[in-house]
Amino acid sequence: MAFRWPQFFHKLGSPRWFYRIGGLWLPWLAGIAACFLVIGAIWGLAFAPEDFKQGNSYRIIFVHVPSAFIALAGYYVMATAGAISLIWKMKLADIALKCAAPIGAAMTVLALISGATWGKPTWGTWWVWDARNTSMLVLLFLYLGIYALYNAFEREEQAARICAVLALVGTVNIPIIYKSVDWWFTLHQPATIKLTEPTTMHASMWQPLLLMIVGFYVLYTTLLIERIRVEILVRERRTRWVQDIVLASGA
Amino acid sequence: MHPVRKQRLYIVLFIVLGASIAAALIFYALRENMNLFYSPSDIADGKAPLNTRMRAGGMVREGSVQRQGEALEVNFIVTDYANDVAVSYEGILPDMFAEGQGVVVTGTQTAPGVFVATEVLAKHDEEYMPPEVSEALEKSGHSGGETGGNSSSRPSGYDAASQY
């Protein structure tokens, strides 16, 4: 039988299928993420040359930029899940919305803390209320707000609908964060890695950075799938197939 | 698409569009209040208030940094290469502070174009390169390392860097 994509996606929408397929992918994704992150980190921290002005402190970029990328991209993942949940009332989209929030929040915290750590030796201050830093802090509050709001409701369906609306309203912040350094005077510098223009970083430095960015994307996918699988088990705990899994594992 | 789902899709689009318009109006109303600092040209135009705490930002003009002997007092000129602001400051400068480098200073404008700073922050640019590349650039006469700051349309001199 030929592999059919529409059918594949249709099945992926079912929690039971997602649990199974996700379980098959997880070890591979985790392995790929570990490879990229380990090689990227060793290359970036030990072998990449130091910067002509910042010295070694620039190496924080190898954590800061990937985590900030994921913080922004993860919000779109969450908002897209919210839109699907609103329009098609898919159970799996509700779950994805709920699970994407804490991971996104963690990445935002990582970006903020690594940024502050870099800011102290470079700018001379941990924090400044410029447009980039402030909009990034708003992003953290959006993530935390959605997480808290979701858990404030008894009924999962109601929680998903309200959080989806909040997630969609919050999408407006993402282009603001991204463009804040170009639209206004900020202390934060403009982007080094751009889609449309050549990067203003030497090749010996952006190559390990690229590995870290890919590694963080795969890590995010791994974490999201694992979290979704756990949430599926919790929600479907009364179904036969989950009880079979529990019995088979000997618990 | 099912009519009910189509309607929900319109609701989703309405939420996103509505939030975007609201945000656009807010930021239109705030305009330059969103800026962290005034540029020397803003200050020359009289947009910045006198005797009020505020920030000014730009590049430290090459050759303008004057220290008062052993004291911590330092004077320098912040410029956007169109207008200048004379800054005096007493305190510890960040490591990244240098002539030709971007800074953001907090303090008060005591007279038009004269600024007494209480805090000096270094503004880093978006260029990263190894020291050897920077030295090679300087030897070849490109000032790759000595510029920096706000303008992203500024010629970066970086294309030359990839040759090394």
Side-chain angles (χ1 to χ4, degrees):
Chain A
M1 197 183 82
F3 188 79
R4 283 190 296 168
W5 283 104
Q7 204 187 15
F8 174 75
F9 276 113
H10 198 74
K11 278 181 177 170
L12 211 57
S14 124
R16 187 178 175 180
W17 265 88
F18 187 92
Y19 182 85
R20 216 177 75 96
I21 296 171
L24 293 176
W25 290 355
L26 264 186
W28 294 97
L29 287 172
I32 293 168
C35 283
F36 272 98
L37 292 178
V38 168
I39 296 170
I42 293 175
W43 186 355
L45 297 181
F47 294 102
E50 61 178 52
D51 184 62
F52 72 123
K53 265 190 237 166
Q54 303 170 70
N56 279 320
S57 64
Y58 94 94
R59 294 180 201 276
I60 295 168
I61 201 175
F62 295 116
V63 174
H64 179 70
V65 166
S67 57
F69 269 38
I70 302 296
L72 299 197
Y75 197 88
Y76 278 131
V77 169
M78 189 174 72
T80 309
I84 293 171
S85 150
L86 275 182
I87 299 168
W88 284 280
K89 303 277 174 206
M90 259 175 66
K91 243 192 226 172
L92 195 68
D94 294 4
I95 297 174
L97 167 69
K98 184 184 181 182
C99 296
I103 308 175
M107 289 293 175
T108 313
V109 167
L110 192 57
L112 286 172
I113 291 177
S114 58
T117 315
W118 177 84
K120 186 64 188 166
T122 313
W123 295 339
T125 183
W126 298 98
W127 181 263
V128 69
W129 291 99
D130 75 347
R132 171 58 71 84
N133 291 18
T134 311
S135 56
M136 201 67 185
L137 193 66
V138 169
L139 179 70
L140 176 64
F141 292 149
L142 276 170
Y143 273 127
L144 294 178
I146 285 166
Y147 186 66
L149 194 62
Y150 207 105
N151 289 297
F153 286 92
E154 289 273 314
R155 287 178 51 226
E156 300 274 2
E157 259 175 52
Q158 202 180 9
R161 203 186 322 152
I162 287 167
C163 288
V165 172
L166 179 55
L168 285 170
V169 170
T171 49
V172 76
N173 192 27
I174 305 300
I176 292 173
I177 297 174
Y178 185 70
K179 296 300 282 181
S180 55
V181 287
D182 300 325
W183 287 344
W184 301 293
F185 290 152
T186 54
L187 188 59
H188 194 289
Q189 69 269 30
T192 294
I193 296 168
K194 288 165 289 252
L195 287 176
T196 48
E197 292 166 58
T199 169
T200 50
M201 194 178 204
H202 195 258
S204 57
M205 296 163 160
W206 66 251
Q207 283 159 355
L209 180 57
L210 193 66
L211 284 189
M212 291 300 280
I213 291 170
V214 174
F216 263 74
Y217 268 100
V218 185
L219 175 70
Y220 176 79
T221 314
T222 313
L223 292 173
L224 187 61
I225 290 177
E226 181 60 25
R227 238 188 136 84
I228 289 175
R229 287 178 83 233
V230 172
E231 184 70 21
I232 286 172
L233 284 187
V234 172
R235 290 195 190 191
E236 307 279 302
R237 62 188 176 279
R238 291 195 184 84
T239 59
R240 188 63 197 273
W241 69 272
V242 171
Q243 288 171 354
D244 284 347
I245 290 173
V246 175
L247 284 177
S249 70
Chain B
M1 203 186 235
H2 195 279
V4 174
R5 285 174 193 159
K6 205 169 207 170
Q7 199 185 2
R8 291 195 203 124
L9 176 68
Y10 289 139
I11 293 171
V12 165
L13 292 176
F14 176 77
I15 293 170
V16 172
L17 207 69
S20 307
I21 293 169
L25 288 174
I26 291 168
F27 288 118
Y28 178 74
L30 289 169
R31 269 170 296 189
E32 56 255 42
N33 289 320
M34 285 292 297
N35 290 327
L36 183 73
F37 54 83
Y38 289 98
S39 72
S41 292
D42 290 340
I43 292 170
D45 290 348
K47 285 182 189 165
L50 279 176
N51 298 317
T52 309
R53 251 179 88 78
M54 57 135 189
R55 293 192 193 91
M59 314 299 288
V60 180
R61 184 180 278 290
E62 286 84 350
S64 73
V65 177
Q66 293 173 340
R67 282 170 213 276
Q68 308 298 317
E70 292 288 293
L72 283 173
E73 200 184 330
V74 59
N75 292 290
F76 54 92
I77 289 168
V78 171
T79 178
D80 57 4
Y81 300 108
N83 290 288
D84 291 350
V85 174
V87 178
S88 65
Y89 174 66
E90 194 169 351
I92 294 163
L93 292 164
D95 292 349
M96 296 286 291
F97 179 92
E99 291 183 353
Q101 183 80 35
V103 283
V104 174
V105 295
T106 311
T108 48
Q109 198 187 190
T110 50
V114 179
F115 201 89
V116 178
T118 52
E119 185 185 37
V120 175
L121 299 179
K123 183 168 160 55
H124 183 60
D125 58 36
E126 68 273 31
E127 285 181 17
Y128 295 81
M129 62 178 106
E132 309 87 72
V133 176
S134 158
E135 279 162 29
L137 277 176
E138 256 165 52
K139 262 183 219 157
S140 69
H142 292 275
S143 57
E146 293 306 307
T147 57
N150 248 335
S151 165
S152 53
S153 58
R154 159 182 59 85
S156 69
Y158 194 76
D159 295 331
S162 55
Q163 295 165 11
Y164 298 98

